[in-house]
Structure formats: C-alpha cells, structure tokens
Amino acid sequence: MRVVALVGNKGGAGKTTLCVNLATALNARAPTVILDADPQRSSLQWRDLADRDDAVEVADAVDDVDAAVGDARARFDFIVIDCPPSVHAPQTARVLALCDVALVPVQPSPLDIWATVHIEDKVDEARRVNPGLRALLVINQLEPRTKLSQLMRQALAELSLPAATTAISRRVAYRSSVLEGRTVMDLGSRGSAAAEEITQLIEEVVGT
Ligand SMILES: Nc1ncnc2c1ncn2[C@@H]1O[C@H](COP(=O)(O)OP(=O)(O)OP(=O)(O)O)[C@@H](O)[C@H]1O
Ligand SMILES: [Mg+2]
C-alpha cells in the first residue's frame, strides 16, 4: 500500500486535517509526500505556515494528478492525496482511479452521511479500472458521549462502504495545530490522545 487518498463529497468533512496528520505520522516511518489535488490548495497553505525543514513535503497536483503521482512514486514510500470536496471534480475521479486506499471522512450528521451515497457510486465506477481500490469511511469529529454519534455507526452500517474501526474525535488539538502548520504529533501531551487515534488509523489502513 502506497497511495492513500482523502476523498469526499462534502466541504469541511476533515480531509485536509486528516491528510496532514496521517502524512506526518507516516513520514516518521518512511518518506512520505502530500499531493494537493484540491484547487483550494489547503494542504499547500498548511505547508507554507510550517516554517521548518522537517515538515512533510507538499506538491501541487491540481492540474495533473497522474503526473504528480508518477513523480512521487519514484521518490517516496507513501503518497497521501488531498482531494476537492466533490466526487464530481475531475481530480477526485483521477485519484480514485489510481489510489490504493480512499479514506472518506464523515461527520456525525445525517447531511454528511447522505452526501457519501454519491461516493459509493464513484468508487464502484473507479473499481472498473482500479479493481484493488479499498474505500473506508472514517468517522470524524466524533463526540463519543452524544446520542447522535452513537446513532452514527448504525446509520453508516447501512451504506455499502465499510467504516474504519478507528474514529477520530472532535478535539481542539486538530484545529490549533493546523493553524501553525503543525500536527497533533507536535503538541506533546496536549495532542497525545489525538496522536494515538491517528496512529491507530494508520495501523488499520496500512498495517504496522
Ligand atoms: N477531528 C477534528 N476535531 C476538531 N476540529 C476538526 C476536526 N477535523 C476537522 N476539524 C476542523 O473542521 C474544519 C474543516 O476541516 P478540513 O478543512 O480538514 O475539512 P476538509 O474536508 O478538508 O474541507 P474542504 O472540503 O473545504 O477541503 C477545520 O476548521 C478543521 O480544523
Ligand atoms: Mg480540504
């Protein structure tokens, strides 16, 4: 497994947040690059804020996803791709056609769950050219003690895409770290619970 993509059909689901955190955690294991395929270029903005050399590299893949992935395969062990918030965007279609795993962050809200139905169709379409494509929903901004979050798992079970066992909680650490071009791994004890769930998600997705 080398190419992990954050895809979705809803703005603000957490694609960029998970992208920079997962890529930074992967980079501690093996050379990793982020490819930003979203015309909003949020991952590139995050990298601009990170005024240090050891932050994970981010390359622009908006105009040509295939070329960017081709370049990156030669130099990196892991490629993490941040996608636009629409499955109808041409970048999302290209990414689904070539990635190994598509992670779909979903917030615990009915509107977000309904928006993922369109993703299922696009994943099925992509499997015609990319039969090995794995796609996993990732619950994001979970508030474990709320009734809605408990109902969320039941609602997701009715979709055809499986959900990752690891859910990402709503935590200030995710917001404050990104503002500084950092990740939850840089926050010491303030970020340790978040860092732990990011590690768990990586183990679930790419193995140890
Ligand atoms: N687990 C979380 N806990 C707290 N805040 C979060 C979490 N995940 C995302 N956020 C916040 O939610 C907002 C949207 O997240 P993000 O920008 O990562 O979503 P996105 O899917 O990339 O959005 P877009 O579709 O616009 O690209 C941001 O303010 C981010 O800090
Ligand atoms: Mg984004």
Side-chain angles (χ1 to χ4, degrees), residues 36 40-50:
D36 197 344
Q40 297 179 101
R41 294 183 166 84
S42 317
S43 287
L44 282 157
Q45 281 166 359
W46 168 82
R47 185 62 184 79
D48 285 345
L49 289 171

Side-chain angles (χ1 to χ4, degrees), residues 95-127:
V95 169
L96 287 175
L98 58 75
C99 71
D100 299 304
V101 185
L103 299 180
V104 185
V106 198
Q107 287 198 46
S109 133
L111 292 174
D112 288 60
I113 297 178
W114 294 332
T116 63
V117 171
H118 299 285
I119 297 176
E120 298 180 315
D121 297 344
K122 293 292 171 185
V123 167
D124 286 343
E125 234 172 79
R127 282 189 175 133

Side-chain angles (χ1 to χ4, degrees), residues 189-208:
S189 59
R190 282 188 300 136
S192 60
E196 177 58 30
E197 64 195 8
I198 290 292
T199 303
Q200 262 183 33
L201 183 58
I202 286 181
E203 281 166 13
E204 201 179 334
V205 172
V206 307
T208 42

Side-chain angles (χ1 to χ4, degrees), residues 18-134:
L18 291 184
C19 176
V20 301
N21 280 285
L22 290 171
T24 300
L26 283 169
N27 198 36
R29 302 171 179 221
T32 301
V33 66
I34 293 173
L35 299 184
D36 197 344
D38 180 2
Q40 297 179 101
R41 294 183 166 84
S42 317
S43 287
L44 282 157
Q45 281 166 359
W46 168 82
R47 185 62 184 79
D48 285 345
L49 289 171
D51 59 349
R52 61 215 170 100
D53 297 335
D54 62 345
V56 66
E57 197 175 308
V58 186
D60 193 323
V62 175
D63 293 332
D64 194 339
V65 170
D66 294 77
V69 171
D71 288 349
R73 278 191 198 276
R75 294 175 47 217
F76 296 95
D77 287 350
F78 292 112
I79 300 169
V80 184
I81 311 181
D82 194 7
C83 285
S86 166
V87 289
H88 306 295
Q91 291 90 352
T92 307
R94 285 312 309 148
V95 169
L96 287 175
L98 58 75
C99 71
D100 299 304
V101 185
L103 299 180
V104 185
V106 198
Q107 287 198 46
S109 133
L111 292 174
D112 288 60
I113 297 178
W114 294 332
T116 63
V117 171
H118 299 285
I119 297 176
E120 298 180 315
D121 297 344
K122 293 292 171 185
V123 167
D124 286 343
E125 234 172 79
R127 282 189 175 133
R128 284 185 225 143
V129 293
N130 183 12
L133 173 63
R134 267 176 83 200

